[in-house]
Amino acid sequence: MNDDRFEVIGRVTRRQDGHAMVTGRQLYSSDISLPNMLQARVLRSPYPHARIAAIDTSEAERLGAVCITPEDVPRVKYNERQVSVPAKTYRDRTVLPDKVRHVGQGVVAVAARTEALADRALDALDVEFESLPAVFDPHEAMRDGAPQLHDAVLLGETVLPIERNIACYREAVEGDVARGLEEADLVVENEFTTGRAYHGQLESKAVVCRPEADGGITVWATAQSIHNTRQLLGSLFDIPLSKINVQRVPIGGSFGSSIQMNSSVAVCVALALKAQKSVKLVLTREEDMYDHCKYPSNIHLTYGVKRDGTLTAGYLKTVVDIGGHNIQAYPLLGCMAGWFVSLYRLPHLKFEGTAVYTNKAPACAMQGYGNPQVTFAVESMMDTIAEELDIDPIDVRLKNYVGLGETFWGQGPTVRSVIRSCGVEEMLLKGKAMVGWEGRGSSTSKTGRFRRGIGVGRGFHTSGTGAPTPGEVIDYSTAMVKINEDGSVDCLTALMCHGGGTLDAGAKMVAEELGVPLDRVGISPSNTRSTGYDVCTHATRGVYCGGASLLRAAQDVKKILFDFASRIIDVNPDALKVRPDTNRGQGVVCLPGAPAKRITVAEVAKTAQIKGWGSIIAVVSHRQVNCPPCFVVNFVEVEVDTATGQIRPMRAVAAVDAGTVINPDLAAGQLEGGLCRGIGLALLEDTTYKPDTGELTCGGYLTDYKVYTAQDMPSLEDLSTFFADTYEPSGPFGAKGVGEAANNATAGAVANAIYNAVGIRLTEAPITPERVLSALTRDAEQLQQGR
């Protein structure tokens, strides 16, 4: 797809980092190697809950290893995630603990000249644990007498006692739910659960730290935000930020797994500062699985609805198992409220969310931040309502969706804005035709061992966390754009790309605005000393927020360019335009209709240098005051084997309303990848724990933890994607996000397809073959008893 409104936006182009990625020359954190660098290892707890009674490092030190224990690190309580404002940030961990709260938690770290020696030093450590009772179920954790993980935490600077392992609670109410349910002709309710999936990003987490002669530190880390990492390290180790430099390193995917500063970063910094040598720490895949996971949920959902399908009330109550530490569960609950409220119009609503500590790996943001969990439940309920009222499920959605001109909550009650672009109707109706919705039939008409069904799911994600009034989350980006003396352009930003082409999109925006050929626009290497603040690449904000700051810097640069050019060719700057000249490989400033009034961008920049006018450069810090929803719609056809319970996805249509699509091939790839991951979350992915030891039941990522791959997906002929025709007025060149939205609706679509195939509503994800067979057997027994 080429967008005729633009020169490069909307066109398929070669990625700037593409050659390095496909040839293996791209350097990630684990590839960084420094002279005389030590290799680090971490001793991790074999217990889910224990006090550390004694630590003896003497044998490891005799081998020449540098060791750190809880006594060697700051006792400052902190939260790994630095996206929220301080007053809303819960702090409950230290660099190394004196009490472990889940299997795999780091206790002692060593660093030695080689990996083999570090492994020997690790084996030489002697740690005495005092095992404590553990609790793994969030509902059991809230009971009186349950093992207590934390006695108190810090909320901002306030000491907050913890009772019954409840980390935080959040409620949102508008209208009167009881009244709304009384006004309804039908009340439906159900309970839904989702699993603790592992992020499964392409690279495990890694960090390299180099102590500097001035007492500072340089860090290369797997991170979604270099500035948040810098700020947290400064507060932990009492080092001025001017002496901490965090380098932006390409990241091999993330899915939210590094939205926070990973615990390994602080450990590696502590080792490097003690050793006064460079240290490298790379987590094994199994260690990484004990580091973070997706927030699981238990959701009780109730809707009131009129006979014509109009919703009158909604009430969602959820309990979220956050594991051993709170990595910002409070904003998670706010977001879950926002996802619930903003999908469908509710005159009366109530949300209650409770986050609970258990002795498991800490949960953190994962591709949607509670959105796939909520949308799985909501979209399943929309189909339930449709069946109860004998209305087409698509018509129920069209009647109730929150759309153009309406207010949505974005990422929670404090982040509200008005929807100014919306392609929901287009996607539902076009997708309906593409998938052959009218011929899908009902489950009662299907017989035989293999039965097919088609389901629909819709959802959204915000583009950033902005709102007219700042809320609980920090959200702004800084960018610098500079025109060089040869007419090429440098772009400098701390914005992080996770692999989806965010920085390429930014380069396209700059090229489009400045009229310079795309191959003349470079994305500069960056670090915290050379860039202004960027909060983090999360909340699908990369293009909409980070791109907007680059565009604004480019607009300021263009004003300087036109001012300088007007002096040279004697033309009012307001009359000038700039266009790419492919023959000359340059941008050309010109007066339309006057061929003599032309000058290349390079000539302007060089003349300005010679005459001492200054560099053509601008720096902008910008905060978007909206977070427009990127809407998605998925249609999925599955085949259910009623003899084995196996479910195969056979066909799919994935659509997105992303406003102006900057990188169409990469956006389509996001849709396909999100669909694949969403199907995996619906049918396969989960981390379960042994109830006696607190260990993961899977033996490891490569052996027992399975994910959906391209091989498991529908063939290319049976997988279709398309973009809604919309334009977002507040977005750069009309663009919104794509990333996290891509998988939010998938699990609901899959569950609805299964119901259409076999007539059984499955509410526990992942929907495994065992659960399918159990439900089929139970249904058959009920039918038999009914006869």
Side-chain angles (χ1 to χ4, degrees):
M1 171 189 113
N2 285 337
D3 195 325
D4 293 334
R5 295 171 296 174
F6 306 112
E7 295 289 338
V8 293
I9 285 175
R11 299 176 185 272
V12 175
T13 55
R14 177 178 290 184
R15 287 183 59 155
Q16 292 194 13
D17 58 359
H19 188 267
M21 292 176 72
V22 300
T23 59
R25 297 173 67 183
Q26 186 80 288
L27 294 180
Y28 299 91
S29 298
S30 58
D31 297 316
I32 303 299
S33 182
L34 302 176
N36 302 314
M37 183 174 69
L38 303 181
Q39 303 290 335
R41 292 288 187 270
V42 179
L43 178 74
R44 301 185 180 277
S45 172
Y47 299 97
H49 201 192
R51 288 191 184 91
I52 301 170
I55 299 174
D56 184 355
T57 62
S58 58
E59 286 299 318
E61 289 168 341
R62 200 168 288 123
L63 292 171
V66 177
C67 305
I68 58 169
T69 72
E71 299 299 320
D72 299 307
V73 297
R75 305 309 298 159
V76 179
K77 282 193 175 182
Y78 72 100
N79 190 309
E80 295 180 327
R81 187 173 186 259
Q82 296 294 293
V83 174
S84 298
V85 298
K88 297 295 184 181
T89 300
Y90 290 75
R91 297 186 282 142
D92 64 12
R93 69 159 70 227
T94 54
V95 176
L96 289 172
D98 53 15
K99 174 184 172 182
V100 296
R101 294 172 173 88
H102 65 92
V103 169
Q105 185 163 16
V107 175
V108 184
V110 301
R113 294 189 312 275
T114 66
E115 292 182 12
L117 188 57
D119 286 333
R120 286 179 59 196
L122 199 69
D123 290 339
L125 292 171
D126 185 7
V127 179
E128 182 182 334
F129 293 94
E130 179 188 330
S131 181
L132 299 171
V135 62
F136 305 109
D137 179 86
H139 295 92
E140 291 180 8
M142 289 188 287
R143 292 176 181 166
D144 291 336
Q148 187 84 357
L149 274 73
H150 298 269
D151 296 323
V153 302
L154 292 178
L155 175 56
E157 297 302 324
T158 303
V159 176
L160 182 69
I162 298 297
E163 297 179 358
R164 296 187 297 117
N165 290 306
I166 296 175
C168 54
Y169 170 83
R170 193 153 189 175
E171 181 180 87
V173 179
E174 287 196 356
D176 184 338
V177 166
R179 176 183 156 198
L181 295 176
E182 289 175 1
E183 293 173 350
D185 297 315
L186 171 71
V187 174
V188 294
E189 62 180 317
N190 212 331
E191 190 167 304
F192 300 85
T193 61
T194 61
R196 299 182 110 242
Y198 169 57
H199 292 77
Q201 71 280 4
L202 286 175
E203 67 166 329
S204 178
K205 303 180 183 76
V207 55
V208 174
C209 300
R210 181 180 66 202
E212 304 295 353
D214 64 356
I217 191 105
T218 300
V219 177
W220 295 259
T222 306
Q224 290 177 225
S225 170
I226 58 176
H227 281 279
N228 287 342
T229 299
R230 179 199 209 190
Q231 291 180 12
L232 185 49
L233 289 175
S235 65
L236 282 176
F237 294 97
D238 194 25
I239 302 174
L241 297 186
S242 60
K243 293 185 177 183
I244 301 174
N245 196 14
V246 181
Q247 303 281 345
R248 186 180 69 197
V249 186
I251 191 169
S254 183
F255 307 116
S257 63
S258 294
I259 189 175
Q260 62 285 319
M261 184 191 79
N262 296 307
S263 55
S264 54
V265 176
V267 170
C268 193
V269 168
L271 276 169
L273 291 175
K274 183 173 182 178
Q276 281 302 297
K277 289 185 178 181
S278 299
V279 177
K280 181 177 187 176
L281 174 58
V282 180
L283 300 191
T284 66
R285 184 60 71 172
E286 285 66 33
E287 286 177 312
D288 202 52
M289 292 186 74
Y290 280 110
D291 199 46
H292 296 106
C293 69
K294 175 187 175 188
Y295 285 105
S297 66
N298 174 265
I299 292 173
H300 193 98
L301 186 52
T302 304
Y303 280 112
V305 59
K306 293 285 191 182
R307 287 189 180 87
D308 67 354
T310 302
L311 297 174
T312 62
Y315 175 29
L316 188 152
K317 185 175 183 178
T318 184
V319 173
V320 179
D321 175 357
I322 68 170
H325 290 283
N326 184 350
I327 306 178
Q328 287 310 287
Y330 187 75
L332 168 83
L333 296 177
C335 284
M336 293 179 79
W339 313 141
F340 167 54
V341 168
S342 301
L343 273 167
Y344 297 103
R345 232 172 279 119
L346 297 171
H348 305 279
L349 63 94
K350 184 175 182 179
F351 171 89
E352 285 186 273
T354 306
V356 185
Y357 287 114
T358 64
N359 291 111
K360 298 177 183 174
C364 73
M366 178 177 170
Q367 202 172 8
Y369 198 40
N371 202 328
Q373 296 91 314
V374 170
T375 305
F376 168 60
V378 171
E379 288 302 287
S380 297
M381 289 291 271
M382 290 302 109
D383 267 36
T384 298
I385 289 168
E387 182 182 37
E388 292 283 346
L389 297 174
D390 195 23
I391 300 174
D392 189 304
I394 292 177
D395 291 338
V396 169
R397 289 167 170 84
L398 289 171
K399 178 179 283 290
N400 293 289
Y401 78 88
V402 179
L404 196 64
E406 297 182 85
T407 298
F408 81 114
W409 284 20
Q411 297 228 342
T414 66
V415 185
R416 303 191 189 203
S417 55
V418 175
I419 299 172
R420 301 169 69 183
S421 60
C422 178
V424 170
E425 184 173 345
E426 175 190 348
M427 292 188 292
L428 282 171
L429 296 180
K430 183 176 178 179
K432 173 182 177 181
M434 290 172 66
V435 81
W437 180 263
E438 300 296 351
R440 73 178 191 140
S442 67
S443 61
T444 56
S445 65
K446 298 169 185 177
T447 59
R449 174 177 170 178
F450 298 98
R451 304 179 195 177
R452 289 197 178 192
I454 298 175
V456 64
R458 61 164 295 268
F460 76 98
H461 206 79
T462 57
S463 304
T465 62
T469 302
E472 300 163 359
V473 178
I474 301 164
D475 195 323
Y476 74 90
S477 293
T478 306
M480 183 195 81
V481 174
K482 173 171 64 76
I483 295 179
N484 298 312
E485 289 70 31
D486 66 349
S488 64
V489 179
D490 288 328
C491 301
L492 188 61
T493 173
L495 184 68
M496 177 62 69
C497 177
H498 298 175
T502 301
L503 293 174
D504 273 58
K508 281 187 173 180
M509 293 178 189
V510 171
E512 191 74 47
E513 182 65 21
L514 295 181
V516 175
L518 180 59
D519 62 5
R520 304 281 285 178
V521 178
I523 299 294
S524 302
S526 69
N527 55 58
T528 51
R529 279 183 168 165
S530 65
T531 59
Y533 182 79
D534 182 278
V535 61
C536 184
T537 302
H538 77 125
T540 312
R541 69 179 296 278
V543 167
Y544 179 76
C545 299
S549 67
L550 279 164
L551 176 57
R552 291 199 171 218
Q555 289 168 343
D556 286 354
V557 157
K558 188 161 75 170
K559 292 176 184 177
I560 301 170
L561 173 69
F562 283 0
D563 177 55
F564 289 175
S566 71
R567 302 185 202 179
I568 301 169
I569 62 175
D570 195 24
V571 173
N572 188 311
D574 295 337
L576 292 174
K577 302 292 183 183
V578 61
R579 297 283 185 267
D581 186 331
T582 54
N583 293 327
R584 303 172 74 173
Q586 278 280 344
V588 175
V589 181
C590 61
L591 177 65
K597 298 292 187 179
R598 298 168 59 85
I599 185 170
T600 67
V601 172
E603 290 171 322
V604 176
K606 190 62 180 178
T607 300
Q609 182 191 47
I610 292 170
K611 291 183 177 293
W613 296 344
S615 295
I616 306 177
I617 186 171
V619 179
V620 168
S621 285
H622 173 67
R623 173 183 172 270
Q624 292 280 49
V625 295
N626 294 285
C627 56
C630 164
F631 294 107
V632 290
V633 171
N634 287 167
F635 289 87
V636 178
E637 181 177 21
V638 302
E639 181 180 80
V640 181
D641 184 342
T642 58
T644 66
Q646 293 283 344
I647 300 165
R648 291 177 56 210
M650 307 301 292
R651 280 193 307 151
V653 176
V656 65
D657 162 21
T660 300
V661 179
I662 308 297
N663 291 318
D665 55 334
L666 300 181
Q670 290 270 16
L671 282 178
E672 293 170 1
L675 187 73
C676 180
R677 191 60 189 268
I679 292 173
L681 294 173
L683 301 179
L684 189 62
E685 294 186 51
D686 195 7
T687 56
T688 56
Y689 288 75
K690 297 177 183 177
D692 52 341
T693 66
E695 296 174 293
L696 289 168
T697 55
C698 67
Y701 183 72
L702 298 178
T703 55
D704 298 329
Y705 190 86
K706 306 302 181 184
V707 298
Y708 260 69
T709 68
Q711 189 175 5
D712 305 300
M713 290 290 288
S715 66
L716 290 176
E717 294 77 17
D718 293 318
L719 177 57
S720 302
T721 62
F722 70 90
F723 309 129
D725 183 14
T726 61
Y727 183 92
E728 172 52 44
S730 67
F733 292 105
K736 299 190 280 189
V738 177
E740 290 176 87
N743 84 330
N744 287 344
T746 309
V750 170
N752 290 334
I754 294 168
Y755 185 87
N756 181 242
V758 296
I760 295 173
R761 174 62 59 192
L762 291 150
T763 61
E764 186 174 1
I767 303 171
T768 61
E770 293 82 1
R771 287 169 179 161
V772 172
L773 282 180
S774 176
L776 287 169
T777 301
R778 188 167 57 249
D779 186 62
E781 291 173 350
Q782 290 173 351
L783 284 174
Q784 188 68 29
Q785 292 171 1
R787 293 196 186 99

PDB file of all heavy atoms in Angstrom, residues 325 385 477 546 626 651 699 767:
ATOM      1  N   HIS A 325       6.514  -9.491  44.480  1.00  0.00           N
ATOM      2  CA  HIS A 325       6.760  -8.052  44.576  1.00  0.00           C
ATOM      3  C   HIS A 325       5.752  -7.296  43.714  1.00  0.00           C
ATOM      4  O   HIS A 325       5.247  -7.809  42.715  1.00  0.00           O
ATOM      5  CB  HIS A 325       8.185  -7.707  44.146  1.00  0.00           C
ATOM      6  CG  HIS A 325       9.226  -8.185  45.102  1.00  0.00           C
ATOM      7  ND1 HIS A 325       9.493  -7.542  46.290  1.00  0.00           N
ATOM      8  CD2 HIS A 325      10.052  -9.261  45.065  1.00  0.00           C
ATOM      9  CE1 HIS A 325      10.451  -8.194  46.941  1.00  0.00           C
ATOM     10  NE2 HIS A 325      10.796  -9.246  46.223  1.00  0.00           N
ATOM     11  N   ILE A 385     -24.420 -12.607  25.480  1.00  0.00           N
ATOM     12  CA  ILE A 385     -25.586 -11.721  25.403  1.00  0.00           C
ATOM     13  C   ILE A 385     -26.299 -11.890  24.064  1.00  0.00           C
ATOM     14  O   ILE A 385     -27.543 -11.976  23.995  1.00  0.00           O
ATOM     15  CB  ILE A 385     -25.145 -10.260  25.610  1.00  0.00           C
ATOM     16  CG1 ILE A 385     -24.748 -10.033  27.069  1.00  0.00           C
ATOM     17  CG2 ILE A 385     -26.245  -9.284  25.196  1.00  0.00           C
ATOM     18  CD1 ILE A 385     -24.043  -8.718  27.314  1.00  0.00           C
ATOM     19  N   SER A 477       8.295  12.829  25.604  1.00  0.00           N
ATOM     20  CA  SER A 477       9.493  12.427  24.872  1.00  0.00           C
ATOM     21  C   SER A 477      10.278  13.658  24.464  1.00  0.00           C
ATOM     22  O   SER A 477       9.708  14.736  24.261  1.00  0.00           O
ATOM     23  CB  SER A 477       9.121  11.629  23.611  1.00  0.00           C
ATOM     24  OG  SER A 477       8.551  10.381  23.935  1.00  0.00           O
ATOM     25  N   GLY A 546       6.552   9.355  20.784  1.00  0.00           N
ATOM     26  CA  GLY A 546       7.944   9.551  20.404  1.00  0.00           C
ATOM     27  C   GLY A 546       8.073  10.139  19.012  1.00  0.00           C
ATOM     28  O   GLY A 546       8.904  11.022  18.767  1.00  0.00           O
ATOM     29  N   ASN A 626      -3.485  13.624  24.437  1.00  0.00           N
ATOM     30  CA  ASN A 626      -4.493  12.609  24.136  1.00  0.00           C
ATOM     31  C   ASN A 626      -3.796  11.252  24.138  1.00  0.00           C
ATOM     32  O   ASN A 626      -2.576  11.168  24.072  1.00  0.00           O
ATOM     33  CB  ASN A 626      -5.141  12.843  22.766  1.00  0.00           C
ATOM     34  CG  ASN A 626      -5.958  14.111  22.722  1.00  0.00           C
ATOM     35  OD1 ASN A 626      -7.060  14.171  23.254  1.00  0.00           O
ATOM     36  ND2 ASN A 626      -5.416  15.142  22.099  1.00  0.00           N
ATOM     37  N   ARG A 651      -8.322 -20.215   9.879  1.00  0.00           N
ATOM     38  CA  ARG A 651      -8.355 -18.964   9.108  1.00  0.00           C
ATOM     39  C   ARG A 651      -8.430 -17.803  10.075  1.00  0.00           C
ATOM     40  O   ARG A 651      -8.906 -17.950  11.204  1.00  0.00           O
ATOM     41  CB  ARG A 651      -9.581 -18.899   8.192  1.00  0.00           C
ATOM     42  CG  ARG A 651      -9.487 -19.660   6.903  1.00  0.00           C
ATOM     43  CD  ARG A 651     -10.620 -19.247   5.968  1.00  0.00           C
ATOM     44  NE  ARG A 651     -11.930 -19.353   6.581  1.00  0.00           N
ATOM     45  CZ  ARG A 651     -12.990 -18.588   6.270  1.00  0.00           C
ATOM     46  NH1 ARG A 651     -12.866 -17.641   5.359  1.00  0.00           N
ATOM     47  NH2 ARG A 651     -14.150 -18.770   6.866  1.00  0.00           N
ATOM     48  N   GLY A 699       9.938 -27.765  32.858  1.00  0.00           N
ATOM     49  CA  GLY A 699      11.352 -27.955  33.141  1.00  0.00           C
ATOM     50  C   GLY A 699      12.237 -26.875  32.566  1.00  0.00           C
ATOM     51  O   GLY A 699      13.398 -26.768  32.919  1.00  0.00           O
ATOM     52  N   ILE A 767      -7.140 -22.363  26.984  1.00  0.00           N
ATOM     53  CA  ILE A 767      -8.161 -23.376  26.717  1.00  0.00           C
ATOM     54  C   ILE A 767      -7.439 -24.603  26.175  1.00  0.00           C
ATOM     55  O   ILE A 767      -7.263 -24.771  24.969  1.00  0.00           O
ATOM     56  CB  ILE A 767      -9.217 -22.842  25.735  1.00  0.00           C
ATOM     57  CG1 ILE A 767      -9.845 -21.558  26.287  1.00  0.00           C
ATOM     58  CG2 ILE A 767     -10.294 -23.887  25.471  1.00  0.00           C
ATOM     59  CD1 ILE A 767     -10.743 -20.832  25.301  1.00  0.00           C
TER      60      ILE A 767
END
